[in-house]
Amino acid sequence: AQSVTQLGSHVSVSEGALVLLRCNYSSSVPPYLFWYVQYPNQGLQLLLKYTTGATLVKGINGFEAEFKKSETSFHLTKPSAHMSDAAEYFCAVIKRSNDYKLSFGAGTTVTVRA
Amino acid sequence: NAGVTQTPKFQVLKTGQSMTLQCAQDMNHNSMYWYRQDPGMGLRLIYYSASEGTTDKGEVPNGYNVSRLNKREFSLRLESAAPSQTSVYFCASSGLAGGPTDTQYFGPGTRLTVL
């Protein structure tokens, strides 16, 4: 099974500060990579995904992530945090075959301080 | 469009009781999924249906059964509930284009407690 590691279960940032959420995968062949966000008491929503091509991927709400094959990483960033970014964030992967199974990391909860 | 809908929103069961969680999507998607979410473990795939008429096991299928009733509906059944099945259950769908990179759209979840 794919393994996805998110470093840090909780991240606290000040409003206006950089948000950095770390994700590493363990696979010899890079998988498809996703970031999802879950707001309180809601389902998950796709932020962005990397499948092929440009390694810097831009998503919704000002988020972006960079695929680095040499580091087996897909870290998520946002230059300036907003109060509305408080949520739980999940990194997920699907292996590169005809496989529909998303494997999720444990999640990182982001709190934003005023 | 309502997207992905799930019923019920909340449910409390006693050990050994059975129940069916319902999921429907109105996006004409081919693939549908059932996940469970437990604290500190992210989401884990229980079963999925890549297309109407097919179902396959995911990572944690034991204790569950599924039915892909038609293209719109995908139900999850607990035949004999156990406390270990206390969780939040999410249904998702994907696949207008077809393929593993299609975005999965999630329902609002069902919070199940088994006493």
Side-chain angles (χ1 to χ4, degrees):
Chain A
Q2 296 287 322
S3 178
V4 182
T5 302
Q6 291 184 239
L7 188 62
S9 58
H10 290 88
V11 169
S12 180
V13 298
S14 297
E15 193 172 18
L18 171 73
V19 180
L20 170 61
L21 305 181
R22 300 180 187 274
C23 174
N24 288 88
Y25 63 90
S26 60
S27 171
S28 57
V29 177
Y32 300 119
L33 297 151
F34 305 79
W35 275 100
Y36 280 84
V37 61
Q38 184 180 30
Y39 298 104
N41 298 314
Q42 294 187 26
L44 279 70
Q45 178 183 1
L46 181 71
L47 276 177
L48 48 80
K49 62 183 175 183
Y50 172 77
T51 57
T52 188
T55 56
L56 182 62
V57 181
K58 294 187 185 301
I60 61 172
N61 302 338
F63 284 93
E64 60 182 37
E66 186 170 13
F67 166 60
K68 292 187 177 180
K69 184 178 178 180
S70 61
E71 299 178 6
T72 61
S73 69
F74 191 56
H75 301 332
L76 181 72
T77 61
K78 182 174 180 177
S80 177
H82 190 271
M83 298 299 287
S84 60
D85 294 325
E88 189 163 18
Y89 293 79
F90 294 94
C91 183
V93 304
I94 294 179
K95 68 181 182 183
R96 286 184 180 264
S97 64
N98 191 21
D99 186 317
Y100 293 77
K101 303 175 189 176
L102 266 175
S103 294
F104 285 86
T108 299
T109 300
V110 173
T111 57
V112 183
R113 304 185 304 272
Chain B
N1 283 354
V4 180
T5 57
Q6 293 182 235
T7 55
K9 286 189 167 61
F10 301 94
Q11 184 71 48
V12 179
L13 293 178
K14 294 181 179 177
T15 298
Q17 287 185 317
S18 62
M19 79 161 296
T20 300
L21 280 64
Q22 306 286 354
C23 174
Q25 54 91 8
D26 62 2
M27 295 176 282
N28 201 32
H29 284 168
N30 294 311
S31 304
M32 298 186 73
Y33 314 81
W34 277 105
Y35 295 90
R36 59 178 289 173
Q37 183 179 28
D38 302 292
M41 302 187 74
L43 277 77
R44 292 178 292 169
L45 183 65
I46 304 171
Y47 270 94
Y48 71 104
S49 171
S51 61
E52 187 179 356
T54 68
T55 60
D56 286 285
K57 295 178 181 179
E59 184 182 353
V60 288
N62 291 345
Y64 305 95
N65 286 300
V66 291
S67 296
R68 183 75 182 265
L69 304 169
N70 47 54
K71 191 171 185 179
R72 289 187 64 248
E73 298 172 288
F74 189 40
S75 63
L76 179 72
R77 182 160 179 85
L78 288 69
E79 290 291 350
S80 179
S84 60
Q85 294 178 304
T86 294
S87 188
V88 181
Y89 290 85
F90 288 98
C91 178
S93 71
S94 71
L96 277 181
T101 61
D102 290 339
T103 298
Q104 291 190 20
Y105 294 85
F106 286 77
T110 294
R111 190 172 296 273
L112 175 67
T113 301
V114 183
L115 302 175

